[in-house]
């Protein structure tokens, strides 16, 4: 599995509409056969910062994502709204195929 975390700092005037701006890109990516998840979160301390957690089944699925038309369109749409170059963590996790249950915590009965 390819796991990617990207932190975006958005210009204040775009922060309120960021999730709408990336909606088409998000939906198209989630529809890719090799996509395992593609989830946005907003920073609770900085309303202009968003974090994207995404994963792809393998390197080929990640490469197909980067080569897609919606990836290029997404970058184009985002480039006018970001305040800084995004920060990224990109790692390959062998023998992993998505989320696992956390062993240390479960709901109380």
């Amino acid at each position: 599995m390819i796991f990617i975390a990207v932190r975006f700092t958005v210009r204040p005037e775009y922060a309120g509409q960021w999730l709408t701006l990336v909606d088409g890109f998000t939906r198209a990516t989630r529809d890719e056969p090799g996509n395992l998840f593609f989830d946005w979160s907003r920073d609770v301390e900085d309303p202009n910062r968003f974090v994207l957690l995404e994963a792809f089944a393998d390197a080929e699925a990640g490469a197909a994502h980067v080569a897609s038309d919606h990836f290029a369109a997404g970058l184009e749409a985002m480039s006018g709204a970001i305040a800084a170059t995004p920060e990224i963590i990109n790692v390959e996790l062998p023998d992993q195929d998505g989320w696992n249950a956390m062993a240390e915590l479960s709901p109380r009965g």
Side-chain angles (χ1 to χ4, degrees):
M1 175 178 92
I2 305 299
F3 175 76
I4 304 164
V6 188
R7 191 163 46 187
F8 296 83
T9 301
V10 177
R11 294 178 186 165
E13 63 270 25
Y14 288 97
Q17 59 186 324
W18 178 257
L19 294 176
T20 301
L21 180 75
V22 298
D23 184 60
F25 174 53
T26 299
R27 285 185 287 112
T29 301
R30 287 176 176 166
D31 286 342
E32 292 177 22
N35 179 256
L36 301 175
F37 55 86
F38 197 84
D39 299 329
W40 290 97
S41 298
R42 192 171 196 173
D43 191 306
V44 297
E45 294 178 5
D46 182 350
N48 300 324
R49 183 177 291 159
F50 293 82
V51 174
L52 173 61
L53 298 180
E54 56 186 302
F56 297 90
D58 52 33
E60 292 78 23
H65 170 64
V66 172
S68 70
D69 290 341
H70 59 268
F71 183 83
L75 293 184
E76 179 62 29
M78 290 185 278
S79 67
I82 58 173
T85 300
E87 301 168 286
I88 189 168
I89 298 169
N90 184 327
V91 296
E92 185 169 350
L93 301 171
D95 303 321
Q96 185 78 18
D97 60 2
W99 294 97
N100 292 315
M102 182 178 174
E104 298 83 5
L105 183 65
S106 58
R108 224 179 273 166

